[in-house]
Amino acid sequence: MGPTATGKSGIALDIAGYLPVEIVSVDSAQVYRHMDIGTAKPDARSMAAVPHHLVDLIDPHEHYSAARFTEHARIAMREITGRGNIPLLVGGTMLYFRALLEGLSPLPAADGGLRTHIEERAEANGWPALHAELQRLDPASAARIRPTDSQRIQRALEVCHLTGKPMSKILDQPRHARFPYHPIRMILNPGDRHMLHRRIAQRFDRMLERGLVDEVRTIRDKFRLNDASPSMRCVGYRQVRMYLDDEVGLEAMRDMAIVATRQLAKRQLTWLRPMKNVQTFDCLEEDLPSQVREYLRNAGLAVRFRSTFNWEEKHERWV
């Protein structure tokens, strides 16, 4: 686990060199097909060398949820262990990790009539006005939801009206879910926040060089996406969409995307901070792969470590 741009995918591939793992993506953006550059999806060589699961599941106009992730992840993990391998969960979508390990909160099912009513009110008054209403009903939820995030405002208000309780209170209730595995939890956490910010900026610049703008243009036109589409709310994609619609210029788009990614990393670190029974590594350490390997060697894994790792040999073995 860890915030964006901490090198989780690289460490996962390194682990695959000495343990019989298959990677399960815990990333709410990598589930979308055709969204490769902006989600930092593993390249073809990595995907061929090590089996990856829960990547490229749906098209950009479709919806995904923590409940669907939990179902798909459990299926993938059963299949992986059935082959005698180890599921290696890798990603930064902390809500998905929490749902899988602790279970889902007892939130009510969606109510079509109530959602339509909320949408009609939003058309008349704007989503910021409904966000102000949410601030009165559920200050904790309003504090973590942007005034323009229509989907999350709608859901939080829906839960308030259906249950008579703030959604934040329901989410804080104890969960009871049996997780039938022994998890070894590792966090990649930057020792220097400024260095992480530099990494974030450099990575987004590489995405632009690789053709992120064309990628967003293609999927937006093909699937007729707009700013309310779930995929277009992903960090980076939202800002490029604004640039394509002439709402901001190129430099402003870049700056906004980098700031939004920093904010995402901050939220991810907030999720991780109270976690217990975890081993934290500084993602900026030069000998990070060796540190992780030594930790896993002593973690009680009942498997033999591979002594060497050859990409070509690995490719042949997996395919």
Side-chain angles (χ1 to χ4, degrees), residues 7-17 21 23 50 52 88 90 188:
K8 298 182 293 295
S9 296
I11 289 295
L13 290 174
D14 188 77
I15 291 172
V21 300
I23 293 173
V50 183
H52 284 66
L88 175 57
V90 182
L188 300 188

Side-chain angles (χ1 to χ4, degrees), residues 59-75:
D59 284 332
H61 67 286
E62 298 178 291
H63 292 258
Y64 202 66
S65 66
R68 290 183 68 187
F69 165 80
T70 300
E71 177 187 358
H72 291 159
R74 286 180 176 268
I75 291 171

Side-chain angles (χ1 to χ4, degrees), residues 94 263-275:
M94 304 309 162
Q263 292 170 342
L264 170 62
K266 183 178 180 180
R267 292 194 299 272
Q268 291 168 317
L269 287 168
T270 299
W271 272 88
L272 290 167
R273 196 166 293 121
M275 279 195 174

Side-chain angles (χ1 to χ4, degrees), residues 189-198 265-266 269 273 284:
N189 191 4
D192 183 337
R193 195 70 62 87
H194 295 294
M195 285 298 297
L196 178 64
H197 291 172
R198 185 179 302 175
K266 183 178 180 180
L269 287 168
R273 196 166 293 121
L284 302 175

Side-chain angles (χ1 to χ4, degrees), residues 3 7 30 43 65 69 72 95 101 106 134 149 157 206 212 218 233 264 288 293:
Q30 291 186 1
D43 59 26
S65 66
F69 165 80
H72 291 159
L95 176 62
L101 293 168
L134 179 63
D149 194 336
L157 285 174
R206 288 195 299 270
L212 177 59
T218 298
R233 285 196 294 271
L264 170 62
L288 174 62
R293 179 170 182 157

